[in-house]
Amino acid sequence: MTTEPAPASERQIPAWSTTVGPGWAALLDQLHRDLTALDPDYRIEEFIAKLGGLRIIVADRFVDGEFDGEFADRTTALTDAAVIASEHTCEDCAAPGRIRFRGEGASCWMRCLCDNCRTRVRAAARPRATEPTGDSRHGGPVIG
């Protein structure tokens, strides 16, 4: 039984665009267009949203058995620019943003958000009051 390699389109930017927030859509669309202009069959080797920004590695290209260093340099410049832009673009709405930290220890996360989206995320994360059940230590309701 032979295994056919995945079509190039399954290893290109659009395949991952739904794994990140909609605010980075234009950034990823532009990167895809730029990479396609260099090589319509480019392949992504690694795509991760990490530490508040993107991490993208394009697979090396070989021409006639030789490593294509010029292609590697050009794709690295394009992906580096996208990484830097992602660290200054709100992942949720595309407004100017900055990397925000929330939580501590193993439950800490980092995302690039604008002030408005940060406020919305913080409001959604606030604990809500539970039904008053009483607390024998304090004689009052327990607030979650």
Side-chain angles (χ1 to χ4, degrees), residues 8 14 18-19 39-40 47 49 53 63 76 81 96:
T18 59
T19 66
D39 180 359
F47 184 99
V63 177
T76 298

Side-chain angles (χ1 to χ4, degrees), residues 42-98:
Y42 80 89
R43 290 182 306 108
I44 297 297
E45 192 168 286
E46 183 174 48
F47 184 99
I48 300 171
K50 184 177 183 178
L51 302 175
L54 292 169
R55 304 295 177 260
I56 303 169
I57 298 174
V58 176
D60 291 331
R61 182 172 80 169
F62 294 84
V63 177
D64 297 328
E66 295 287 324
F67 172 72
D68 188 346
E70 182 179 340
F71 175 77
D73 291 344
R74 293 176 76 187
T75 59
T76 298
L78 291 170
T79 57
D80 285 352
V83 166
I84 291 167
S86 73
E87 294 171 350
H88 300 282
T89 304
C90 179
E91 185 179 353
D92 288 349
C93 74
R98 64 184 178 86

